[in-house]
C-alpha cells in the first residue's frame, strides 16, 4: 500500500494537506491554501517533484533538528517535513516521500465536513 494525501481545513477555513506513509506516519505538510483546488494543485506538484533530488532542501531548525523542504521548479516551498532526530532519519524521510508520493491516493476530509452544518 502506498501513502495517502489528506486534505483538511485549518482553523482559519483555508485548506492544507499532509502526506502520510502507508503506516500512517507523517512525511510532509503543506502551507495553507485559500481554495481546495489550490491544495489539490499542491498535491500534484508534490507528485511531480518528489523524485527529483534537487528539489529537496535539507535544513536544520533552531534547536538543531534536521528537516527538509520540498520545492517546486520555481523554487517555492511545496511542503515541509517534521523535525527528525538525525540527518540519517531526515534522509530516510526523503526516501519515504519519494516512495510514497507518486502513487498516493487523496483523502479529502473537507468534503464530508462541508456537508454537515
Amino acid at each position: 500500500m502506498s501513502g495517502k494525501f489528506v486534505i483538511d481545513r485549518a482553523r482559519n477555513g483555508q485548506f492544507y494537506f499532509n502526506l502520510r506513509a502507508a503506516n500512517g506516519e507523517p512525511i510532509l505538510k503543506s502551507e495553507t491554501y485559500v481554495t481546495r483546488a489550490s491544495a489539490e494543485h499542491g498535491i500534484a506538484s508534490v507528485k511531480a517533484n518528489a523524485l527529483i533530488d534537487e528539489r529537496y532542501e535539507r535544513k536544520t531548525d533552531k534547536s538543531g533538528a534536521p528537516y527538509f523542504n520540498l520545492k517546486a521548479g520555481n523554487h517555492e516551498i511545496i511542503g515541509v517535513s517534521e523535525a527528525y532526530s538525525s540527518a540519517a532519519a531526515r534522509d530516510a524521510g526523503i526516501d519515504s516521500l519519494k516512495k510514497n508520493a507518486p502513487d498516493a491516493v487523496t483523502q479529502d476530509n473537507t468534503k464530508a465536513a462541508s456537508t454537515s452544518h
Side-chain angles (χ1 to χ4, degrees), residues 3 14 24 27-29 35 50 52 59 61 63 68 71 73 78 80 82 84 91 105 112:
Q14 294 190 345
I27 304 172
L28 191 76
K29 182 176 182 178
T35 66
I52 304 170
K59 307 277 283 180
D61 69 16
S63 68
F68 67 86
K71 292 186 167 188
I78 308 167
V80 179
E82 64 181 352
Y84 291 96
D91 293 345
V105 297

Side-chain angles (χ1 to χ4, degrees), residues 5-86:
F5 287 99
V6 180
I7 301 175
D8 281 304
R9 271 195 195 265
R11 288 192 175 124
N12 64 5
Q14 294 190 345
F15 299 85
Y16 68 95
F17 64 84
N18 285 294
L19 173 62
R20 297 191 170 273
N23 65 3
E25 288 293 315
I27 304 172
L28 191 76
K29 182 176 182 178
S30 75
E31 64 180 350
T32 57
Y33 298 92
V34 175
T35 66
R36 180 185 297 114
S38 294
E40 291 168 347
H41 180 76
I43 289 170
S45 186
V46 170
K47 289 182 175 190
N49 289 285
L51 296 177
I52 304 170
D53 195 59
E54 295 77 29
R55 300 284 197 254
Y56 292 90
E57 182 178 47
R58 291 156 177 88
K59 307 277 283 180
T60 304
D61 69 16
K62 291 177 185 173
S63 68
Y67 73 98
F68 67 86
N69 295 325
L70 177 64
K71 292 186 167 188
N74 64 2
H75 306 290
E76 292 293 317
I77 295 173
I78 308 167
V80 179
S81 75
E82 64 181 352
Y84 291 96
S85 59
S86 67

Side-chain angles (χ1 to χ4, degrees), residues 4-9 15-16 36 106-115:
K4 174 171 48 176
F5 287 99
V6 180
I7 301 175
D8 281 304
R9 271 195 195 265
F15 299 85
Y16 68 95
R36 180 185 297 114
T106 300
Q107 174 183 317
D108 189 344
N109 290 343
T110 66
K111 290 184 178 180
S114 65
T115 59

Side-chain angles (χ1 to χ4, degrees), residues 87-111:
R90 176 198 55 211
D91 293 345
I94 290 170
D95 289 342
S96 182
L97 193 148
K98 289 178 177 181
K99 177 182 172 188
N100 285 279
D103 299 319
V105 297
T106 300
Q107 174 183 317
D108 189 344
N109 290 343
T110 66
K111 290 184 178 180

